[in-house]
Amino acid sequence: MSTAAAHDDHHHHAPTGLKRWLFSTNHKDIGTLYLWFSFAMFLAGGLLAMVIRTELLEPGMQFVDPEFFNQMTTVHGLAMVFGAVMPGFVGLANWMIPLMIGAPDMALPRMNNWSFWILPFAFLILLSSVFMSAFGAGNPAAPNFGWTFYAPLSTEYGPASTDLFILSVHMMGISSIMGAINVIVTVFNLRAPGMTLMKMPLFVWTWLITAFLLIAVMPVLAGAVTMMLTDRHFGTSFFNAAGGGDPVLFQHVFWFFGHPEVYIMILPAFGIISAIIPTFARKPLFGYASMVYATASIALLSFVVWAHHMFTVGMPLAGTLFFMYMTMLISVPTGVKVFNWVATMWRGSMTFELPMKWAIAFVILFTCGGLSGLMLAITPVDFQYHDTYFVVAHFHYVLVSGAVFSMFAAAYYWLPKWSGVMPNKLLGELHFWSSLISVNLLFFPMHFVGLAGMPRRYADYALQFADYNFWISIGGFWFGLSQLLFLAVCVLCAMKKGEKAPARSWEGAEGLEWEVPSPAPFHTYDTPPVVK
Amino acid sequence: MSEHNLQQRNQRTLRKLLIWAVAMFGFAFAMVPFYDVICDITGLNGKTSTTASTEGPSQVVEDRTVTVEFITQRGEGVNGDFTSATRRVEVHPGEITLVNFFASNPKSSDIITQSIPSVSPGEAARYLHKTQCFCFDQQSLAAGERKEMPMIFYLDPELPRHINTLTLSYTIFDVTDRVAATNN
C-alpha cells in the first residue's frame, strides 16, 4: 500500500450493501452518492417549481394559496442552490479531482464521508417543513421568505419553521466547508510527481479557487443565520430596527456571502467546459494560463460587487457607481473565457457527441445570461429591473442553462468512466434537444414579462402577462419531464446496459482520468503516475 | 515522501483552513460594527445621529429654502396613532424648527415605545441636526394616553446644493417586552 492510503488499511475487504455507502471513505463512492443526491434534489426542487408554474399557468388563483406559493419559491431556490447545484459539483470534484491529479483518494477521506452524510439530514430537516405545510401538520408553514431570507421577513415575521431552516443551513454550510477543505488539501498535497500547479486540468483549478471561495463565504452565511437565530430567540437586535439594529445590514451580510456564492456555482462549470471543448475540437485548450488568471480574477472581484443586488436600498451615488463599475469589470475575465472556448473550437476537427452538444449550448446560453447580468449591473436600469422576472430570467439562464447544463455535459462526458458503459445515445439526444428547446421556451419569455414589469415572487399577475406565462409554464413542464430522460440514461448506465466504454472513452480526450480503465477501478493510483 | 509526513502535512493544511473558516465566521460579526462606522461616515441608509446636537447653527441661509417632509409608520405590535402635526415644512438651512409628533396607546396596559428615524436621501442624514428628539429615548405611553412628542431640528447650512427636499421617516416600535427582558 502506498502514499496516502493509510486511512484505508482494510481496503481489500470493502463492506458491501448499505454499509458500503454509509461508511464509505472512497472518493468514487462518495462522489457517486453526491451525484445521486444532487439529482434527487434537482427533481425535488423541480417538483416545487412545477407547483409554481402550475399556479402561474393562468392568471388568478387556481391551485394553491399565495402563502403556500411563497413557500414553494423559497424552498425551490434553497433546494436547487444548496441541494442540487453545489453538491453536484462537489460530487464531480470527488470523482474527478483525484483521478485528474493522480491521487489515490481525497486527502481526508473520513471527513469526506461526514461532509456527504450531513447533507441528507440537512435537507430532511428543511423539506420536513414543506411536508408539514402541505399536509397541515403542526404550524402549517414552511419558510416563506424567499431563498434570500431577508430580515425582518425571516426574523420578526418568519414562521416557526424558520428555526428548522436555520439549523439546516448551518448543516449545509458545515458540509460545504468540509468538502472545500478536502479539495484544497488534496490538490495541495496529493498531486502526482510532475503535476505542477500550472499543469493541472482546468477543472481542478476552477475547483481549487471555488473551494477557497467556499471557505471564505460559507462561514459568513453561518454568521448571518446565527444572527437571525439570536434575533429571533435571544433578544439581540442585529437586524431589528426597534432595538437599534438595521434590516439593511442583513442584506449586506447576506450578499457578501451571496455574490461569491453565485461564482461558487459557476466556476466549476467553467472547468468542465474547458475539459470538454478541447476533447471534441481535438485541439489543446486555447489560452490555458489566461483561463487560470481569469478564474482567479473573477473570484477576487466577486468580493467587491455584492451591493449590486441592493441598488434600490438607497445607497450614496458613489457607492452605486463603485459597485456598478466593479460588476461590469467582471465581464472582462468572463469574456476572456468565452473567447478562449471559441478560439479552441476555431479550426478544430469538431465532432458533436453528447457532451460537446451540452458544452456548446452552455457557452451560448451562459453568455446570454451573462449579458442580461450586464444589463442588470447598470444602476439606473436596475431600478426598473429589480425584483422583476427579468432577474428571474437572468439567473436561470446562468444557473440552469449554465451550471446545470455544464453538469449534464460533465455527466455525459464522464459517465463512461464512472460506469464503464457509454450513455444511451438515443435517450441522450432526446434529452439534449428536448431540454434545449424547453429551457428557452421556459426562460426566454421571462425577459419580456420582466421588462414589462411583472414582479417576481407573486402567485398572480396582471392579465397582460397571461399569454407569455402560459407558454412559460408549458416550457417548464416540458423541461421538467425531459429530465426523466436523464434519469433513464443514468439508470441504464448504473445497470451497465450499453456499449462497453474503452479507457479513453472519447477519441480526443486527454488527461490522467482517461489512462485508467473504464469503469475506474475502486482503487486507482496506488502508485502515483509520473506526469511528464 | 513517507506516509507519516504526508499525514502531518494534510493535518497542517487542514488546521490552517479551519482557522480561516472560523475567522470568516467572526468576520460576519465584525461586519456589524464596521457597518455602523460606515453608516456614520457616509450617512448610508439615512441614519441620523442618536444623540442631541449641542452646537447651534452657525448661520441662517435666508436665500435658500428646503422642503422637509415627515413620514410616520407603525412597526409590528403598535396599534395606536402615530402622526406629526405637519407633514411638510419649508425651512432655510440653519433655521431652528419645532415639529410636534403624537403617539397614542389605546391598549389597556402601559407600553414603552422606541421611534427609529431614517432620512432619505441618505446623503442628507448627516446634515440634519436635532437638538431635541423623542427618538433619543424610549417613550412610555400609559394605557389610553395620547402624548405630544416634540422634535427640534435644523439643517446644516452646508447642506449640498442639489438637495431640495428631504424626507424624515419615523417608525415607532413597541419595545415593552424587550425592555422587560433586559431588566430581568
Side-chain angles (χ1 to χ4, degrees):
Chain A
M1 201 175 316
S2 66
T3 59
H7 60 277
D8 216 2
D9 281 330
H10 312 287
H11 81 201
H12 292 296
H13 342 256
T16 50
L18 189 62
K19 275 189 175 168
R20 165 178 171 188
W21 301 105
L22 268 181
F23 302 137
S24 181
T25 54
N26 180 288
H27 74 101
K28 300 183 185 82
D29 278 359
I30 293 174
T32 306
L33 284 171
Y34 263 115
L35 290 171
W36 276 112
F37 176 79
S38 150
F39 191 50
M41 281 299 121
F42 181 61
L43 294 180
L47 213 57
L48 305 182
M50 295 300 107
V51 176
I52 296 171
R53 283 326 313 178
T54 309
E55 180 52 55
L56 295 178
L57 187 66
E58 290 177 344
M61 302 305 304
Q62 282 91 21
F63 299 98
V64 294
D65 57 64
E67 174 64 21
F68 191 70
F69 182 90
N70 291 344
Q71 300 167 27
M72 292 294 105
T73 54
T74 305
V75 184
H76 163 72
L78 291 167
M80 290 307 198
V81 168
F82 294 104
V85 176
M86 290 170 70
F89 283 130
V90 181
L92 292 170
N94 259 294
W95 247 106
M96 301 319 299
I97 288 178
L99 286 183
M100 286 176 157
I101 61 171
D105 203 311
M106 295 297 274
L108 307 158
R110 190 70 66 192
M111 195 166 88
N112 208 7
N113 174 291
W114 265 101
S115 62
F116 173 75
W117 277 109
I118 287 179
L119 266 189
F121 295 97
F123 277 89
L124 202 66
I125 292 170
L126 180 66
L127 295 178
S128 71
S129 62
V130 179
F131 286 116
M132 286 189 268
S133 175
F135 300 109
N139 179 348
N144 55 2
F145 29 69
W147 87 273
T148 52
F149 53 102
Y150 278 10
L153 209 48
S154 60
T155 50
E156 272 109 280
Y157 304 96
S161 63
T162 307
D163 301 325
L164 294 178
F165 158 84
I166 290 171
L167 180 62
S168 90
V169 168
H170 265 305
M171 290 166 72
M172 293 166 201
I174 291 169
S175 160
S176 294
I177 291 168
M178 291 201 295
I181 287 177
N182 219 337
V183 168
I184 296 176
V185 179
T186 308
V187 172
F188 277 0
N189 297 351
L190 291 190
R191 293 193 314 276
M195 176 65 81
T196 56
L197 284 175
M198 288 310 272
K199 274 187 191 166
M200 294 196 307
L202 261 174
F203 179 69
V204 183
W205 254 117
T206 53
W207 237 110
L208 180 66
I209 291 166
T210 304
F212 275 109
L213 284 182
L214 277 165
I215 297 180
V217 301
M218 289 312 281
V220 175
L221 174 69
V225 293
T226 308
M227 290 182 220
M228 266 174 71
L229 186 75
T230 57
D231 266 14
R232 282 169 61 81
H233 298 295
F234 304 112
T236 60
S237 297
F238 288 107
F239 309 131
N240 185 345
D246 189 339
V248 176
L249 170 65
F250 175 87
Q251 297 186 30
H252 284 287
V253 179
F254 179 82
W255 287 113
F256 185 84
F257 145 79
H259 204 79
E261 165 71 12
V262 308
Y263 294 121
I264 286 167
M265 294 191 285
I266 203 65
L267 292 185
F270 293 164
I272 292 165
I273 302 306
S274 305
I276 292 174
I277 289 183
T279 298
F280 298 97
R282 290 168 184 76
K283 273 176 62 189
L285 182 70
F286 184 88
Y288 171 90
S290 68
M291 283 295 216
V292 174
Y293 299 132
T295 312
S297 328
I298 293 174
L300 287 177
L301 282 174
S302 76
F303 287 102
V304 289
V305 298
W306 77 89
H308 67 214
H309 295 268
M310 35 194 295
F311 279 147
T312 56
V313 295
M315 260 185 281
L317 184 64
T320 56
L321 284 177
F322 172 80
F323 287 109
M324 175 169 103
Y325 292 142
M326 284 299 146
T327 306
M328 292 179 150
L329 203 55
I330 290 187
S331 58
V332 175
T334 314
V336 167
K337 283 177 171 294
V338 174
F339 286 123
N340 280 347
W341 291 323
V342 175
T344 307
M345 289 189 268
W346 178 250
R347 296 194 163 173
S349 309
M350 293 218 287
T351 50
F352 299 93
E353 284 90 340
L354 279 166
M356 185 62 161
K357 282 203 176 80
W358 287 103
I360 293 174
F362 169 94
V363 174
I364 295 168
L365 297 178
F366 173 79
T367 306
C368 216
L371 205 63
S372 56
L374 208 52
M375 291 170 71
L376 285 164
I378 306 168
T379 313
V381 295
D382 181 74
F383 275 64
Q384 184 196 342
Y385 302 162
H386 185 79
D387 261 348
T388 66
Y389 263 74
F390 190 80
V391 178
V392 179
H394 158 67
F395 69 72
H396 281 93
Y397 259 86
V398 286
L399 279 178
V400 181
S401 53
V404 173
F405 270 32
S406 84
M407 281 195 276
F408 286 141
Y412 284 104
Y413 187 54
W414 285 311
L415 261 173
K417 185 56 60 189
W418 301 335
S419 68
V421 296
M422 302 300 282
N424 186 300
K425 276 210 186 83
L426 177 68
L427 287 176
E429 292 283 337
L430 267 175
H431 176 217
F432 172 73
W433 288 107
S434 181
S435 297
L436 181 69
I437 298 167
S438 59
V439 88
N440 284 295
L441 180 60
L442 167 56
F443 296 123
F444 208 79
M446 286 186 184
H447 291 112
F448 307 140
V449 290
L451 289 179
M454 180 172 160
R456 61 191 279 213
R457 292 176 172 149
Y458 280 83
D460 195 4
Y461 47 83
L463 284 179
Q464 55 176 333
F465 304 126
D467 290 346
Y468 275 133
N469 270 285
F470 175 80
W471 286 106
I472 291 171
S473 284
I474 297 296
F477 303 141
W478 182 1
F479 183 76
L481 285 174
S482 309
Q483 305 323 310
L484 298 179
L485 292 166
F486 183 63
L487 180 65
V489 171
C490 293
V491 168
L492 282 179
C493 278
M495 290 164 65
K496 317 274 179 208
K497 294 254 163 62
E499 185 194 330
K500 180 103 187 53
R504 188 176 304 275
S505 312
W506 309 100
E507 190 196 62
E510 303 276 351
L512 282 181
E513 79 261 38
W514 305 109
E515 309 289 334
V516 300
S518 302
F522 199 61
H523 294 287
T524 36
Y525 299 127
D526 276 358
T527 328
V530 176
V531 181
K532 287 178 286 293
Chain B
M1 186 179 2
S2 81
E3 212 164 85
H4 183 65
N5 270 344
L6 180 68
Q7 283 240 331
Q8 274 191 336
R9 251 178 74 182
N10 286 348
Q11 296 294 328
R12 255 204 317 276
T13 321
L14 168 68
R15 264 199 302 276
K16 275 185 210 154
L17 295 171
L18 276 179
I19 290 169
W20 194 18
V22 173
M24 287 310 290
F25 184 70
F27 175 77
F29 289 87
M31 280 171 90
V32 179
F34 183 65
Y35 177 73
D36 284 338
V37 171
I38 296 283
C39 287
D40 270 353
I41 296 171
T42 63
L44 183 70
N45 210 20
K47 286 185 176 179
T48 56
S49 172
T50 51
T51 49
S53 169
T54 47
E55 284 170 35
S58 52
Q59 51 160 327
V60 179
V61 188
E62 297 281 0
D63 60 341
R64 194 177 162 204
T65 310
V66 178
T67 308
V68 182
E69 299 173 328
F70 304 99
I71 299 179
T72 50
Q73 299 171 80
R74 289 172 301 177
E76 177 83 337
V78 178
N79 50 10
D81 286 336
F82 179 47
T83 55
S84 55
T86 173
R87 281 300 181 192
R88 63 163 52 205
V89 289
E90 311 245 312
V91 297
H92 302 301
E95 183 187 348
I96 296 179
T97 312
L98 177 134
V99 177
N100 274 318
F101 285 73
F102 303 95
S104 69
N105 172 22
K107 288 182 188 162
S108 53
S109 57
D110 299 356
I111 61 169
I112 301 169
T113 66
Q114 171 73 57
S115 302
I116 305 289
S118 174
V119 171
S120 180
E123 193 187 351
R126 62 197 172 106
Y127 298 98
L128 181 88
H129 303 290
K130 292 183 244 182
T131 52
Q132 188 188 337
C133 182
F134 56 95
C135 61
F136 293 152
D137 301 296
Q138 292 169 341
Q139 303 288 330
S140 55
L141 290 173
E145 184 185 357
R146 180 176 160 84
K147 192 172 183 177
E148 183 184 272
M149 305 186 295
M151 190 274 285
I152 301 172
F153 76 96
Y154 67 91
L155 294 177
D156 199 306
E158 305 285 305
L159 182 75
R161 277 278 161 190
H162 64 271
I163 300 177
N164 299 314
T165 305
L166 60 96
T167 308
L168 174 57
S169 149
Y170 281 102
T171 307
I172 192 166
F173 292 95
D174 181 349
V175 293
T176 318
D177 296 342
R178 193 171 279 275
V179 173
T182 322
N183 290 345
N184 285 343

